Amino acid sequence: MYLFLAIFLAMMAYFVYFQAVKSETFINSPYNSLQDLFSRRVIRGDILSADGKILAETNTDGDGNESRDYPYGRVFAHAVGYAENGKAGIENQENFSLLRSHEFFLKQMGNDIAGNKSQGDSVVTTLDTQIQQTAYDALGSFDGAVIVMEPETGKILAMVSKPDFDPNTIKQDWDTVSSDESTALFNRATQGKYAPGSVFKIFTTLEYYREHPKKYSDYTYFCDSSITVNGQTIHCAGNRRHGNETLQSSFANSCNASYANLSLSLDRTRFQETCDSMLFNKNLPIRFESSKSSFHLSEKDSSAMVMETGIGQGKTLVSPLHMLLVTSAVANKGMVMKPYLTDHIENAAGDTISSSEPAEYGSVLSAKEARLLKKYMRSVVTEGTGGKLAGQSYEAYGKTGTAQVSDTSDETNAWFTGFAKKKGYRNIAVAVIVEKSGAGSTYAVPVAKKIFDVYFNR
């Protein structure tokens, strides 16, 4: 009797806990198809930008037929998503919020009695229309991705992926955009997995520092444009001869020969542990569709693979979101903040129902390591491959990358990851990849510069 009484009380306690704490989490799961039953009595709410612009709204014609409208069309396609033929983006993540109504309860009762629908709540995002439009335009006709975030808060200000789609015509275009030949629905900013090229030298530098905390500044290497070990040759970009290099100048000039050389001296087990601690092979801390970056290095790997890995080729794959989080950690004294796109939920009268608050994921760098990488990333701008960002009204930091698309192709993806600051403004971090374009300094840095220019000069 006592056993069954204890089980009964435990079940009752869990029932109360579930109702009070966990029920909304389950209801709000994007995989819960029962959410759509709410649409029978609620008009799907609006999605707004941080600056109050309508990104998605429901229009009703004279016959009561509802249609979803996206005023900015393709510009916010992957971030806002779509609500036809399934759901994606914020339309998916905040589906439950958009189908709830917190209008005055007497008005809701009146609507129910009259057979009318109540107005759903609105989702106010962290997205900035000016930054988003700038990022979209800056990417131009190239495929690729741009993602922008505040390092200290985790607020995502822009998220662009190309090729894209028009959410206004997603139903008509479905067969085309969802075909095996199309990647238009794929969000490259959070799901894309690319060879990182020289942006990976952030991790190689960190590992070298961790293994040589007192002697890292003594590192020197003479670059004669290439390095050959056991028959494998690694070339510097454009076969450039850098001459005498320190660790910092190797980073600033993105010297492949130097990084291939120092990679051979690294402890492979410790390198794997460092990369695992820097979010490789892990789910990223975001309530959004995202992919795991991958890094694997073992004692069985050849010296050729070690050198390739150290310069960001080899088997390593990384997403723009991952690089953004790591860059943000450098800017934020080693702390990764959880990225988010929903600022708050409000009802039809504009009253706030719930709000998102900045939340820490955890520290991935010591403050000292963050200062070192910050110093090196500044040197990329002042004396290295990121020179297009020098001499501005803001202070920029970053790392460029030029990653070979495949072993059988000379095509390269252009990378840039970095951040900038200016008195009176919040810092912002950006990750850019421009597919099959060329050098990071030529194609990715200008994209970041346009974003920094708009943000810090308004």
Side-chain angles (χ1 to χ4, degrees), residues 272-392:
Q272 181 71 54
E273 291 171 352
T274 288
C275 288
D276 287 344
S277 74
M278 297 294 289
L279 304 178
F280 279 96
N281 309 311
K282 294 180 180 179
N283 292 320
L284 298 179
I286 187 172
R287 280 188 62 233
F288 215 77
E289 305 92 347
S290 63
S291 298
K292 289 182 184 179
S293 297
S294 57
F295 175 89
H296 301 285
L297 190 64
S298 73
E299 297 299 331
K300 296 179 181 179
D301 287 318
S302 65
S303 57
M305 179 57 69
V306 172
M307 292 193 295
E308 291 280 359
T309 300
I311 64 170
Q313 295 287 166
K315 298 174 288 187
T316 306
L317 295 173
V318 68
S319 69
L321 173 61
H322 185 175
M323 290 311 307
L324 179 73
L325 294 180
V326 170
T327 301
S328 296
V330 175
N332 196 33
K333 300 178 181 178
M335 178 61 68
V336 173
M337 303 298 290
K338 292 181 179 179
Y340 63 100
L341 288 93
T342 298
D343 185 78
H344 65 275
I345 309 296
E346 61 184 31
N347 64 13
D351 300 321
T352 298
I353 304 303
S354 63
S355 298
S356 300
E357 297 294 334
E360 295 179 350
Y361 167 77
S363 180
V364 297
L365 298 166
S366 69
K368 190 173 183 180
E369 290 168 343
R371 285 196 300 271
L372 175 72
L373 291 173
K374 184 176 180 180
K375 175 183 176 183
Y376 280 24
M377 292 173 77
R378 179 60 180 160
S379 70
V380 170
V381 173
T382 58
E383 57 192 68
T385 56
K388 289 184 175 70
L389 292 169
Q392 306 302 315

Side-chain angles (χ1 to χ4, degrees), residues 250-262:
S250 297
F251 188 89
N253 295 322
S254 206
C255 179
N256 286 339
S258 178
Y259 269 86
N261 172 66
L262 71 81

Side-chain angles (χ1 to χ4, degrees), residues 7-211:
I7 293 173
F8 175 76
L9 292 175
M11 289 177 62
M12 290 301 296
Y14 182 77
F15 178 77
V16 172
Y17 167 75
F18 182 88
Q19 289 292 327
V21 178
K22 301 293 290 183
S23 60
E24 188 162 313
T25 300
F26 281 87
I27 295 171
N28 198 28
S29 169
Y31 302 104
N32 187 350
S33 61
L34 295 178
Q35 290 179 10
D36 292 334
L37 294 176
F38 287 83
S39 64
R40 296 178 181 178
R41 55 181 299 273
V42 175
I43 298 171
R44 190 175 186 84
D46 297 342
I47 299 176
L48 307 172
S49 67
D51 46 326
K53 304 294 175 54
I54 295 176
L55 307 181
E57 63 182 342
T58 299
N59 293 320
T60 306
D61 64 20
D63 296 324
N65 299 312
E66 297 176 1
S67 61
R68 199 68 168 158
D69 182 53
Y70 302 89
Y72 285 84
R74 296 173 178 271
V75 177
F76 287 87
H78 292 89
V80 171
Y82 53 86
E84 291 273 3
N85 287 57
K87 295 179 180 64
I90 294 170
E91 290 276 38
N92 182 38
Q93 298 299 327
E94 297 294 349
N95 188 49
F96 179 50
S97 297
L98 294 165
L99 290 173
R100 295 175 74 188
S101 177
H102 283 88
E103 284 192 307
F104 184 53
F105 76 97
L106 290 178
K107 185 174 183 180
Q108 291 191 62
M109 289 177 61
N111 287 333
D112 288 341
I113 293 170
N116 298 324
K117 290 185 176 183
S118 297
Q119 178 60 47
D121 297 337
S122 293
V123 172
V124 181
T125 71
T126 60
L127 298 166
D128 183 306
T129 52
Q130 188 178 24
I131 302 301
Q132 180 82 12
Q133 186 72 61
T134 299
Y136 184 87
D137 293 342
L139 199 54
S141 60
F142 286 104
D143 291 342
V146 183
I147 185 164
V148 185
M149 189 177 88
E150 292 179 358
E152 290 85 2
T153 65
K155 287 185 178 181
I156 293 179
L157 306 183
M159 180 189 289
V160 172
S161 177
K162 292 186 179 183
D164 52 39
F165 59 91
D166 186 348
N168 290 298
T169 58
I170 192 73
K171 194 170 185 178
Q172 302 94 293
D173 301 338
W174 187 253
D175 288 344
T176 300
V177 299
S178 65
S179 68
D180 292 340
E181 294 76 29
S182 174
T183 59
L185 298 179
F186 187 70
N187 187 350
R188 284 160 158 76
T190 60
Q191 295 175 291
K193 296 172 70 173
Y194 301 89
S198 290
V199 295
F200 185 79
K201 290 170 183 170
I202 293 172
F203 303 98
T204 310
T205 303
L206 175 63
E207 178 56 27
Y208 188 82
Y209 170 77
R210 287 182 173 179
E211 292 188 26

